[in-house]
Amino acid sequence: MKFSIYGRFQLDVRRENDAWEVYHLEPGKRAKVNDLVIPPTLDADELATYLDDIFHELAGPGQSVQLMP
């Protein structure tokens, strides 16, 4: 699942081996984010809210974390 974090950057969150793995996306490449841990018990439909809780300091007025198509 790909998320836009307030239009500043994009993250790809994948379920791997009963854990959530997070990757920072840039044009033409993807880098694993080791310092962001998502609880393995979190459901997929809760990811945007969790990411918003983590990164809310980066948000401007009316901005939110968006699931990308």
Side-chain angles (χ1 to χ4, degrees), residues 7 29 31 43 45 48 51 53 55:
K29 65 180 177 177
D43 291 330
D45 62 345
L51 293 170
D53 288 344
F55 293 110

Side-chain angles (χ1 to χ4, degrees), residues 12 15 23 47:
D12 184 15
R15 189 74 177 180
Y23 300 89
L47 290 173

Side-chain angles (χ1 to χ4, degrees), residues 1-18:
M1 303 174 78
K2 294 179 183 175
F3 295 91
S4 172
I5 309 300
Y6 313 118
R8 295 176 180 252
F9 58 93
Q10 297 175 356
L11 295 177
D12 184 15
V13 180
R14 298 173 180 227
R15 189 74 177 180
E16 296 179 8
N17 301 321
D18 295 326

